[in-house]
Amino acid sequence: MSNHHTYKKIELIGSSPISIDEAINNALAECAKSIRNMDWFEVTETRGHIENGKVGHYQVTLKIGFRISDS
């Protein structure tokens, strides 16, 4: 049995009116509904939506790495 793995990487955007952490967790939770073997994530962008001079939503772009099933 080999100790190597092969990964695929996808990109998605999470949002939250509360915090950047919650935006990340929202994205991961949605992704976990259809992607198995998620191993890591990388935040590549952080931004937000402004409403009435205040933060309306935090937005984060994530790259999520997951293992190919048979690797």
Side-chain angles (χ1 to χ4, degrees):
M1 179 182 241
S2 177
N3 273 341
H4 74 280
H5 299 292
T6 302
Y7 294 90
K8 182 165 178 77
K9 187 166 48 171
I10 59 172
E11 183 175 83
L12 59 137
I13 299 166
S15 68
S16 165
I18 309 241
S19 70
I20 291 170
D21 287 344
E22 186 173 273
I24 292 168
N25 284 314
N26 289 343
L28 292 174
E30 284 300 312
C31 190
K33 292 178 182 178
S34 59
I35 301 292
R36 295 177 311 196
N37 303 321
M38 294 188 312
D39 279 348
W40 53 268
F41 74 91
E42 170 186 358
V43 175
T44 58
E45 293 181 320
T46 305
R47 65 185 164 278
H49 174 73
I50 302 169
E51 293 177 0
N52 300 317
K54 296 180 180 179
V55 175
H57 276 85
Y58 297 91
Q59 300 170 333
V60 293
T61 301
L62 302 173
K63 290 186 180 180
I64 297 175
F66 59 95
R67 248 177 308 109
I68 303 299
S69 292
D70 294 334
S71 71

